[in-house]
Amino acid sequence: MLTFDKLTEGATLLAHDGEISPAERDEWLTIYPGDAAYGDTVPPGLLLAKVMKVCLVALHDMPDGGIHAGQQLTIRRLPTLGEPLATTIACTAKEMRRGRRYATIAMTTRDGSGATVVEGVNRSIWAA
């Protein structure tokens, strides 16, 4: 279990290399057909869904009962289908405030050249 005591500031929780395939986009289009206008460019919603999925995998073992306290995500650019994407999930801060455990989790996705595609933070009140 990933308890608050086990979180380490600056530690990478997960590094994931992948891509968004045409098949994933086609599945996405069954729900959001209007996104077909993006052509071979990944629609913004699909890009953020993939980044959040990596974050959820990284945090799958956190204790039940935590509270989502805030989130900010910024898309720097939309990649093309099949483009290599590397996502890193890391703990950037943790602190006790008013008897509660606060953790800040950073999400960064880079393209094959190392340029940032998506970056953001998730703030949570950790359960234990």
Side-chain angles (χ1 to χ4, degrees), residues 21-93:
S21 70
E24 289 172 297
R25 187 266 326 264
D26 292 347
E27 184 177 353
W28 179 263
L29 293 178
T30 65
I31 302 168
Y32 302 102
D35 281 354
Y38 285 94
D40 287 339
T41 300
V42 176
L46 176 55
L47 177 60
L48 294 179
K50 287 287 285 196
V51 172
M52 291 309 301
K53 183 176 181 180
V54 174
C55 187
L56 290 172
V57 169
L59 301 175
H60 78 282
D61 201 23
M62 67 187 292
D64 291 339
I67 299 170
H68 180 77
Q71 179 172 292
Q72 180 179 356
L73 293 168
T74 303
I75 296 173
R76 297 292 177 202
R77 76 170 188 82
L78 295 174
T80 57
L81 296 171
E83 183 176 345
L85 300 171
T87 300
T88 303
I89 310 298
C91 175
T92 57

Side-chain angles (χ1 to χ4, degrees), residues 5-25:
D5 291 339
K6 291 179 183 176
L7 283 174
T8 303
E9 287 185 27
T12 297
L13 300 172
L14 180 68
H16 177 268
D17 292 329
E19 63 181 39
I20 298 174
S21 70
E24 289 172 297
R25 187 266 326 264

